[in-house]
Amino acid sequence: MSRFLNDVEACVPALRRYAQALTRDRDMADDLVQDCLERAIRKRALWRPIIGAVRPWLFRMLLNIYRNDIRQRRHKPAFVPMDNSVILEPHHQGEQYARLALAETAEAIDRLPDEQREALLLVVLEGVSYEEAAKILDVPIGTLMSRLGRARASLRILTDNPAPRLRTVK
């Protein structure tokens, strides 16, 4: 039991990063990770060390909880908190360019279809191997590779601008 909890605890930072990348909201990501950890501890009898490492099992669980939450939210009206509508201006010109480029890339990632975004974030953000990502997403490795290829091609198209789009002040 203690080895299981140690393995789960070691995965928490990666789960938080992935959840935050999926939700783009720190509070929602923390709730998602907490739900995942609660379910993992409650259902620890279902995990078998013979089957494999606990990390893919946890990522798969987190992804399933996230997908279920999305399905439930489709039936509820959208809520936009006021504090997220305030945009802070960066202090330096170089910093401003980098922030705009980062925001544009994040927006492009958000526009990707869910299956491409989930695969891309697992492999690029979390550094999960193709084999492990295919297990987490429950798809053949060829399907994962083609989702990654399509996601990367879409990102190249969506972010192909040499500089972020800026409004001209007259």
Side-chain angles (χ1 to χ4, degrees), residues 30-136:
D30 287 342
D31 290 344
L32 182 60
V33 171
Q34 181 177 347
D35 291 345
C36 176
L37 296 174
E38 286 175 3
R39 185 174 293 175
I41 291 169
R42 197 174 55 242
K43 299 191 179 236
R44 67 182 170 268
L46 297 176
W47 177 74
R48 301 279 182 242
I50 301 164
I51 296 172
V54 74
R55 184 178 179 190
W57 185 68
L58 289 172
F59 271 91
R60 173 76 187 238
M61 192 177 298
L62 182 122
L63 191 56
N64 286 338
I65 294 168
Y66 170 71
R67 288 173 177 170
N68 289 339
D69 286 349
I70 287 176
R71 280 187 217 111
Q72 289 175 353
R73 269 190 260 127
R74 285 184 188 153
H75 302 292
K76 295 179 183 177
F79 172 74
V80 179
M82 293 299 289
D83 60 343
N84 286 348
S85 63
V86 177
I87 300 172
L88 300 174
E89 293 294 323
H91 299 292
H92 305 290
Q93 187 67 16
E95 189 176 313
Q96 183 176 14
Y97 176 80
R99 284 182 187 224
L100 288 171
L102 183 62
E104 199 171 86
T105 302
E107 184 180 319
I109 290 172
D110 285 344
R111 285 193 226 157
L112 292 174
D114 288 340
E115 64 271 356
Q116 291 178 18
R117 186 168 48 90
E118 291 165 358
L120 184 74
L121 291 173
L122 270 176
V123 172
V124 174
L125 179 68
E126 288 307 317
V128 173
S129 70
Y130 282 17
E131 284 181 22
E132 196 173 28
K135 284 181 188 175
I136 291 167

